[in-house]
């Protein structure tokens, strides 16, 4: 691929960052407040906007309701616009209330299910008001003990709840269905895998699509194969990028396994563009900073994407078709081993962006300014993560 074409493809790569990645969050054991971390939705949007200014490729910020709930959602989208970003996916929260102890849409109690449905309807309203067309749903529903509830009835409740929600979508809206095989329910989760998510999306219709969170699989899962399968079935809606070592660690994208990220990108770059696939980050920074960690993730996604574009597809296909196993593998690895830093530097130069956005953040006085304005947010003001 010519350099110009590579740069054009990089130009079109857009990454959405999450509002919840900018505030204080912790492990199950403690929240370590970060100096100058965002305390309010306004501050979270301001931080997302800064990431966009420094990287040029993060024009949207995902929000979480109720963490980012405001009186006037239209006003929120205006605020975002004045900062130079848009509101992206609206993420409902069906796990942060006492009523949801036994689940939300799958809860045996009809009143709780109705409450969950009302929340989903509210999130669709918020999306309408902020001009977003993505509802991104993850459920914490499941059971912790065998026999606790009837697995088939729970699935029926899930289908019914999602059908009711789907019917409320405007035609241009997409419902992203996120799966996770473990946590917080230890025996069964109601949406455990991509297969269940795909079955549900098939039942719901073309506006429902599967969201792949890279931290939500059993160890060793071949995620790129899931991506290939969903692409082939036209069911892939988007990603929550992060990285993990053991569980849903929500670490900086590409920090543990950059080769896995590259392999996912290879599947994504088969087609000519990423139309209709939301590339979102879902991270939680517990011991590191927030904004520079987000920028680092963005850079890692760009690097993996650029490397994937460098795969010599013709040579790869030839090797595959002639049974040249090692030749095919070497073709892939050759692209992975290419140093794309000069290419990314050219891309940023062309855009008038800093050559190294992490350093630009660290040396630009942004952290100091935030500490002066916001102080060290107290743990109490840190919004609670599920
Ligand atoms: C889940 C999942 C969701 C996120 C919640 C807080 O594990 O990744 O996307 O909204 O955590
Ligand atoms: Mn996620
Ligand atoms: Mn997660």
């Amino acid at each position: 691929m010519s350099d110009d074409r590579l740069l054009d493809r990089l130009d079109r790569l857009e990454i959405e960052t999450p509002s919840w990645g900018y505030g204080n969050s912790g492990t199950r054991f403690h929240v370590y407040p970060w100096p100058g971390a965002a305390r309010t939705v306004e501050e979270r949007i301001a931080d997302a906007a800064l990431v966009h200014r420094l990287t040029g490729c993060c024009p949207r910020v995902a929000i979480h309701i109720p963490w980012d709930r405001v009186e006037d959602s239209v006003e929120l989208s205006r605020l975002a616009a004045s900062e130079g970003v848009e509101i992206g996916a609206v993420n409902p929260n069906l796990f942060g209330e006492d009523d949801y102890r036994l689940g939300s849409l799958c809860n045996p109690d009809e009143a709780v299910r109705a409450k969950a449905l009302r929340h989903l309807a509210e999130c669709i309203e918020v999306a309408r008001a902020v001009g977003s067309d993505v509802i991104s749903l993850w459920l914490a529903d499941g059971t912790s003990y065998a026999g606790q509830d009837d697995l088939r009835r729970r699935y029926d409740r899930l289908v019914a709840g999602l059908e009711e929600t789907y019917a409320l979508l405007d035609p241009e809206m997409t419902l992203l269905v996120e799966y996770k095989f473990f946590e917080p329910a230890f025996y069964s989760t109601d949406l455990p895998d991509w297969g269940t998510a795909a079955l549900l999306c098939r039942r719901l219709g073309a506006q429902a699509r599967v969201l792949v969170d890279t931290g939500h699989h059993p160890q060793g899962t071949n995620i790129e194969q899931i991506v290939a399968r969903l692409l082939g079935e036209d069911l892939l809606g988007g990603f929550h990028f992060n990285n993990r070592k053991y569980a849903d660690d929500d670490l900086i994208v590409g920090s543990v396994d950059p080769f896995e990220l590259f392999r996912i990108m290879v599947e994504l770059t088969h087609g000519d563009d990423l139309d209709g696939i939301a590339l979102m980050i879902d991270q939680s920074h517990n011991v590191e900073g927030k904004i520079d960690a987000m920028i680092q993730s963005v850079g890692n996604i760009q690097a993996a994407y650029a490397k994937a574009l460098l795969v010599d597809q013709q040579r790869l296909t030839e090797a595959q078709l002639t049974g040249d196993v090692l030749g095919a593998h070497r073709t892939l690895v050759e692209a992975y081993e290419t140093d794309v830093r000069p290419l990314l530097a050219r891309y940023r130069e062309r855009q008038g962006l800093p050559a190294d956005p992490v350093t630009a953040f660290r040396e630009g006085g942004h952290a100091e300014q935030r500490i002066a304005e916001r102080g060290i947010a107290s743990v109490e003001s840190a919004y609670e993560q599920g």
Side-chain angles (χ1 to χ4, degrees), residues 325-365:
V325 177
L326 183 61
H329 177 65
R330 279 169 61 90
T331 303
L332 205 68
V333 172
E334 187 181 299
Y336 177 66
E337 286 177 340
T338 308
D339 183 358
V340 291
R341 285 173 298 182
L343 180 72
L344 289 176
R346 277 212 300 290
Y347 155 80
R348 292 184 183 124
E349 201 186 329
R350 204 168 80 154
Q351 303 272 344
L353 295 164
D356 176 358
V358 170
T359 305
F361 171 79
R362 292 188 156 205
E363 293 177 356

Side-chain angles (χ1 to χ4, degrees), residues 36 367-375:
E368 294 74 5
Q369 185 200 334
R370 279 162 171 72
I371 291 168
E373 282 171 21
R374 304 170 181 174

Side-chain angles (χ1 to χ4, degrees), residues 23-346:
N24 280 321
S25 59
T27 64
R28 284 194 293 135
F29 305 106
H30 191 64
V31 175
Y32 299 100
W34 188 261
R39 299 159 301 174
T40 61
V41 60
E42 289 81 10
E43 291 177 355
R44 294 192 278 276
I45 288 179
D47 289 358
L50 175 61
V51 170
H52 181 44
R53 281 201 296 282
L54 293 171
T55 63
C57 65
C58 302
R60 279 178 302 281
V61 52
I63 58 171
H64 219 297
I65 306 295
W67 300 335
D68 298 314
R69 186 187 273 136
V70 290
E71 285 274 299
D72 182 351
S73 302
V74 176
E75 193 42 48
L76 191 66
S77 67
R78 279 201 209 106
L79 172 87
S82 73
E83 295 271 3
V85 289
E86 288 175 6
I87 305 290
V90 177
N91 289 248
N93 178 321
L94 292 173
F95 50 85
E97 289 186 52
D98 297 350
D99 281 342
Y100 296 135
R101 182 171 62 92
L102 300 179
S104 60
L105 291 182
C106 305
N107 197 298
D109 182 342
E110 199 188 339
V112 178
R113 297 203 296 277
K115 174 177 168 162
L117 286 168
R118 283 197 300 278
H119 177 62
L120 291 173
E122 180 203 340
C123 288
I124 294 174
E125 281 295 331
V126 170
R128 231 168 249 141
V130 299
S132 162
D133 51 16
V134 177
I135 306 290
S136 189
L137 178 67
W138 171 72
L139 294 182
D141 287 40
T143 65
S144 286
Y145 293 94
Q148 179 186 323
D149 199 358
D150 184 291
L151 297 178
R152 288 171 65 172
R153 266 190 226 125
R154 288 185 76 89
Y155 186 66
D156 291 345
R157 294 174 203 141
L158 180 58
V159 171
L162 289 179
E163 278 176 348
E164 209 172 312
T165 304
Y166 187 85
L168 300 176
L169 297 175
D170 293 341
E172 69 285 357
M173 287 181 172
T174 302
L175 176 69
L176 296 179
V177 180
E178 179 176 358
Y179 59 91
K180 181 181 191 176
F181 95 103
F182 65 110
E183 229 187 29
F186 300 125
Y187 171 67
S188 72
T189 61
D190 290 298
L191 251 166
D193 49 37
W194 69 273
T196 307
L199 285 173
L200 286 166
C201 291
R202 270 276 157 79
R203 256 171 110 134
L204 293 173
Q207 285 171 255
R209 278 159 187 270
V210 180
L211 184 147
V212 177
D213 182 313
T214 46
H216 286 194
H217 306 85
Q219 289 284 7
T221 298
N222 184 333
I223 300 176
E224 60 271 25
Q225 189 173 20
I226 296 173
V227 172
R229 195 69 75 248
L230 291 172
L231 279 170
E233 294 290 340
D234 201 17
L235 280 170
L236 183 66
F239 288 87
H240 271 175
F241 284 118
N242 50 51
N243 217 175
R244 65 87 167 276
K245 178 69 182 157
Y246 294 110
D248 188 21
D249 306 334
D250 285 339
L251 300 173
I252 292 169
V253 183
S255 59
V256 177
D257 191 348
F259 188 47
E260 175 183 76
L261 181 63
F262 163 78
R263 298 191 310 265
I264 292 172
M265 288 299 171
V266 169
E267 297 307 323
L268 281 181
T269 49
H270 262 199
D272 201 38
D273 55 42
L274 297 165
D275 258 6
I277 298 174
L279 305 184
M280 301 176 285
I281 291 175
D282 179 9
Q283 279 176 191
S284 167
H285 310 119
N286 302 330
V287 294
E288 67 277 44
K290 319 278 172 199
I291 300 175
D292 43 3
M294 199 65 80
I295 298 172
Q296 177 81 15
S297 291
V298 171
N300 287 350
I301 292 174
Q302 288 178 308
Y305 183 71
K307 288 179 183 202
L309 291 173
L310 291 175
V311 174
D312 185 336
Q313 290 292 346
Q314 199 184 336
R315 184 147 55 92
L316 181 64
T317 306
E318 270 163 30
Q320 289 172 344
L321 293 178
T322 55
D324 181 2
V325 177
L326 183 61
H329 177 65
R330 279 169 61 90
T331 303
L332 205 68
V333 172
E334 187 181 299
Y336 177 66
E337 286 177 340
T338 308
D339 183 358
V340 291
R341 285 173 298 182
L343 180 72
L344 289 176
R346 277 212 300 290

